[in-house]
Amino acid sequence: MAFGLTEPDAGSNSHNLKTTARRTGAGWTITGSKYYISAVDQASAILIVARDADHSTPEKNALSLFVVPTDSPGLTYRPIDTSIVSPDKQFLVYLDQVQVGEEALIGVAGNGLRQVFDGLNPERILVGALCGGIGRYAIDKACAYAKQRCVWSTPIGAHQGIAHPLAEAHIAVELSRMATARSAEMFDAGQPAGEAANIAKFAASEAALKALDQAIQTHGGNGLSNEYGLSELWFVTRLMRTAPVSREMTLNFIAQTSLGLPRSY
Ligand SMILES: Cc1cc2nc3c(=O)[nH]c(=O)nc-3n(C[C@H](O)[C@H](O)[C@H](O)COP(=O)(O)OP(=O)(O)OC[C@H]3O[C@@H](n4cnc5c(N)ncnc54)[C@H](O)[C@@H]3O)c2cc1C
């Protein structure tokens, strides 16, 4: 199942969703659009987050979640061209009076935002794990190359200009893996894991990108060749600073909920 939250005017701000679900006699009619929805072409359904017309007021959107089959009449989609090398493509999704039955509603009508947020912590922990893997992979590749590549009299890994940034990248990646393991433990134990999951996602995505950059640098020109298996990871790793939650929104969350600082928006 694909996950359809983001809209052209509602990315960081999920309260701004325009896609609207209205009750009909037999279920619901959903109209709106979503963008950057991953893997729609491989999914049999999309979990659509919609503004619930019955529960919303002019001041406040109430959201509901619906399982919408991708072959529903009125649902169309087209790919968005990106530089990311990954098995998933991203899609713009249009919902034009799509009809779903009562059984399509997930959880409690009007309580969708809370339900979505319950699912976002494990997604952040998953990104922490993914980035820990990318970071380790990049550093392994860089070290293997730095041990055998000789430009002067020693392998390049003997130059501190190459060794120290790799050592720093290793420290950052391993710290982020500890943070990820800790957040997973808390989540598994049913403890509140919001702060820990956000810390893990932030630390791991920053550490992975830095490690990958240093691995590419260690490879000189070869770092940019597809043959060495690093450059193709650039955009998918870069993505983790923006999605599923941007680094800025993560910092906002930590500033507000961990540090009690006031918000600007
Ligand atoms: C490859 C890819 C796959 C994706 N897959 C999915 C998917 O499957 N399902 C889905 O629903 N979404 C998906 N997304 C969407 C993704 O979650 C959003 O792109 C992301 O949440 C950011 O929203 P936005 O792009 O609208 O940026 P905007 O909200 O327009 O933000 C733009 C910039 O402003 C910053 N900003 C915004 N508000 C603040 C603030 N208050 N303080 C400081 N900075 C701020 C942001 O951090 C960002 O840097 C995907 C995106 C990409 C690129």
Side-chain angles (χ1 to χ4, degrees), residues 152-200:
W152 311 95
S153 54
T154 62
I156 56 167
H159 305 311
Q160 289 177 347
I162 292 290
H164 282 187
L166 287 176
E168 278 189 51
H170 174 70
I171 291 169
V173 167
E174 293 309 310
L175 282 173
S176 78
R177 282 173 52 85
M178 286 180 211
T180 301
R182 172 84 185 121
S183 62
E185 253 172 38
M186 291 174 73
F187 183 78
D188 282 349
Q191 295 168 9
E195 183 191 50
N198 277 285
I199 288 175

Side-chain angles (χ1 to χ4, degrees), residues 3-6 11-12 35-38 84 90 239 242-244 246 248-249 252 265:
F3 176 52
L5 171 64
T6 307
S12 306
Y35 89 157
Y36 283 105
I37 308 308
S38 302
I84 297 163
Q90 280 68 49
L239 167 68
T242 303
S246 70
E248 292 76 21
M249 292 313 287
N252 284 336
Y265 52 96

Side-chain angles (χ1 to χ4, degrees), residues 30-263:
I30 306 175
T31 295
S33 62
K34 298 282 170 185
Y35 89 157
Y36 283 105
I37 308 308
S38 302
V40 176
D41 57 338
Q42 299 172 47
S44 45
I46 311 175
L47 182 61
I48 291 283
V49 187
R51 195 180 149 270
D52 187 316
D54 292 344
H55 290 88
S56 294
T57 61
E59 297 76 42
K60 199 158 183 268
N61 268 352
L63 306 180
S64 294
L65 305 182
F66 300 93
V67 174
V68 180
T70 44
D71 60 0
S72 300
L75 189 153
T76 51
Y77 53 90
R78 64 179 170 85
I80 300 171
D81 193 19
T82 71
S83 303
I84 297 163
V85 180
S86 106
D88 293 354
K89 291 194 186 72
Q90 280 68 49
F91 293 87
L92 261 160
V93 179
Y94 303 100
L95 300 120
D96 184 6
Q97 306 221 14
V98 174
Q99 311 283 331
V100 290
E102 205 55 61
E103 74 289 350
L105 176 73
I106 296 290
V108 179
N111 202 26
L113 199 58
R114 177 180 288 270
Q115 292 166 189
V116 165
F117 276 109
D118 278 349
L120 295 185
N121 285 337
E123 188 182 33
R124 281 159 207 191
I125 298 168
L126 191 74
V127 169
L130 182 73
C131 288
I134 293 173
R136 279 189 158 184
Y137 166 86
I139 293 168
D140 281 354
K141 284 229 157 213
C143 291
Y145 191 83
K147 282 180 208 162
Q148 55 84 21
R149 171 83 172 160
C150 284
V151 183
W152 311 95
S153 54
T154 62
I156 56 167
H159 305 311
Q160 289 177 347
I162 292 290
H164 282 187
L166 287 176
E168 278 189 51
H170 174 70
I171 291 169
V173 167
E174 293 309 310
L175 282 173
S176 78
R177 282 173 52 85
M178 286 180 211
T180 301
R182 172 84 185 121
S183 62
E185 253 172 38
M186 291 174 73
F187 183 78
D188 282 349
Q191 295 168 9
E195 183 191 50
N198 277 285
I199 288 175
K201 188 267 167 190
F202 185 92
S205 55
E206 298 294 321
L209 195 64
K210 237 175 153 176
L212 181 60
D213 187 44
Q214 191 53 38
I216 290 173
Q217 193 67 18
T218 302
H219 280 72
N222 283 336
L224 302 173
S225 142
N226 288 336
E227 189 187 334
Y228 286 81
L230 291 168
S231 57
E232 67 193 26
L233 284 173
W234 181 259
F235 283 104
V236 78
T237 310
R238 181 65 186 73
L239 167 68
M240 302 304 165
R241 292 177 98 196
T242 303
V245 59
S246 70
R247 64 190 303 283
E248 292 76 21
M249 292 313 287
T250 311
L251 292 171
N252 284 336
F253 174 85
I254 297 293
Q256 289 154 26
T257 60
S258 305
L259 307 181
L261 294 170
R263 58 190 275 176

